[in-house]
Amino acid sequence: MVQRIDVTGADGVRLAAWEFGPAADAAAPRVLLLHGLMGRAHHWAGTARWLAEGRRVIALDQRGHGHSARPPAGADPGASLGREAFVADAEAVIEQLGLAPVTVIGHSMGALTGWQLAARRPDLVAALVILDMRASALGEASQRDWEDWFRRWPLPFPSQDAARRWFGEDDPRVERPDPGRGAFFADVMHETPDGWRPVFSRRQMLTARETWVHDAHWDELAQVACPTLVVRALDGELGRAEAQEMVRVLPSGHYAEVPDAGHYLHHTHPEPCRTALEPFLQRLQPVRG
């Protein structure tokens, strides 16, 4: 069972959150799932199924993504799509839904949002899981590569299946066929009068990325006092040396790997993710069967 819950985010933006599983009792551990750039809450469906066994599980469509609203017309894009806005939205969801203290599980950009929130509001975050997100700066060259990549998208796609094939096989970034990657991006396409297009604005995604891609985030990571699990996908974007340094910097850091998985591990490999995450979560607070 999946239930939609509407929440008011920072600067009044309407946010869609999704509760997975049957209603949990008031004493059950709470989990907030934060997707990455271009993702959506329903990418967590496979992971949320097992998390919901004895937990209250909420997944958020972050602003500009999924069913959540884009920032209002005329808003300063640097502010309305910046780091502060994403962190404030997560804070609003936790407070409005009474989730604190909550375990935050974030993927990529959502993981960065999670650790910035944990550093600033330790009263809200009981534990943190970081899925395949780097603490180092990616730099201007990385942003230019994304701009070039967005220009290569052959929009509109004639069908959702065509989008799945392009992102999984024909995208110049794909070194070998990757059906999971294709499925991830096909899931963020919707049908329009002239074909299938992304549910988000590529310009807004670049704006959102611009607000964090040039900076390193080690200082804020070091301020995360709660137990934190750094999870590396072996074929993802977080290298082993950097992941282990992140664990060292964290006051209460732990490490896990997901074999044979790429960057979108939570969507493509939910069961191996369970193997990596569950021992950490069980140590935090045993879940009643």
Side-chain angles (χ1 to χ4, degrees):
M1 181 179 70
V2 182
Q3 177 184 356
R4 175 171 169 164
I5 306 170
D6 288 327
V7 180
T8 301
D11 58 33
V13 169
R14 177 190 53 77
L15 302 174
W18 306 84
E19 183 158 8
F20 287 83
D25 64 60
R30 278 86 66 190
V31 177
L32 176 64
L33 303 171
L34 300 177
H35 63 74
L37 194 70
M38 300 184 294
R40 60 186 304 178
H42 283 268
H43 282 148
W44 291 105
T47 299
R49 289 190 191 98
W50 66 264
L51 282 171
E53 297 170 4
R55 301 179 182 90
R56 184 184 183 195
V57 179
I58 304 292
L60 173 65
D61 273 338
Q62 300 195 293
R63 60 174 52 216
H65 296 74
H67 290 272
S68 287
R70 298 180 184 181
D76 175 8
S80 59
L81 289 165
R83 287 282 79 225
E84 297 297 331
F86 284 107
V87 173
D89 285 346
E91 182 178 352
V93 169
I94 293 169
E95 292 184 328
Q96 290 176 38
L97 299 184
L99 302 179
V102 67
T103 294
V104 176
I105 302 177
H107 170 250
S108 194
M109 185 191 73
L112 176 59
T113 299
W115 90 57
Q116 289 181 326
L117 176 64
R120 302 174 195 185
R121 291 292 308 272
D123 56 310
L124 298 183
V125 183
L128 175 67
V129 177
I130 296 169
L131 296 180
D132 212 54
M133 179 61 189
R134 300 175 60 183
S136 58
L138 301 180
E140 181 60 34
S142 173
Q143 189 72 351
R144 288 197 302 270
D145 287 345
W146 272 63
E147 291 175 5
D148 292 342
W149 177 54
F150 276 149
R151 282 195 288 267
R152 292 176 182 173
W153 290 19
L155 297 176
F157 291 102
S159 66
Q160 193 173 30
D161 190 55
R164 180 179 294 106
R165 290 195 306 272
W166 191 83
F167 286 104
E169 301 174 16
D170 301 330
D171 184 340
R173 288 191 170 198
V174 177
E175 296 180 359
R176 59 183 183 275
D178 187 344
R181 187 175 187 272
F184 180 95
F185 281 100
D187 196 41
V188 295
M189 299 290 155
H190 68 137
E191 191 170 14
T192 68
D194 65 343
W196 289 77
R197 295 181 178 274
V199 298
F200 49 77
S201 159
R202 288 173 293 165
R203 177 185 56 80
Q204 288 190 348
M205 295 301 99
L206 284 173
T207 298
R209 195 172 187 269
E210 182 77 26
T211 65
W212 57 264
V213 72
H214 303 291
D215 301 319
H217 305 282
W218 293 99
D219 289 346
E220 285 173 303
L221 188 69
Q223 297 170 32
V224 177
C226 65
T228 301
L229 178 67
V230 177
V231 181
R232 175 178 175 259
L234 263 62
D235 293 326
E237 298 179 3
L238 175 61
R240 180 177 283 109
E242 182 169 356
Q244 292 176 344
E245 179 64 9
M246 289 168 66
V247 172
R248 189 194 68 79
V249 165
L250 283 158
S252 182
H254 306 265
Y255 178 72
E257 292 185 345
V258 178
D260 303 320
H263 182 59
Y264 305 103
L265 67 166
H266 63 303
H267 179 58
T268 61
H269 291 71
E271 284 305 314
C273 275
R274 179 175 190 169
T275 300
L277 270 62
E278 199 157 36
F280 173 77
L281 298 176
Q282 292 284 5
R283 286 196 300 270
L284 298 173
Q285 182 173 351
V287 177
R288 293 169 291 175

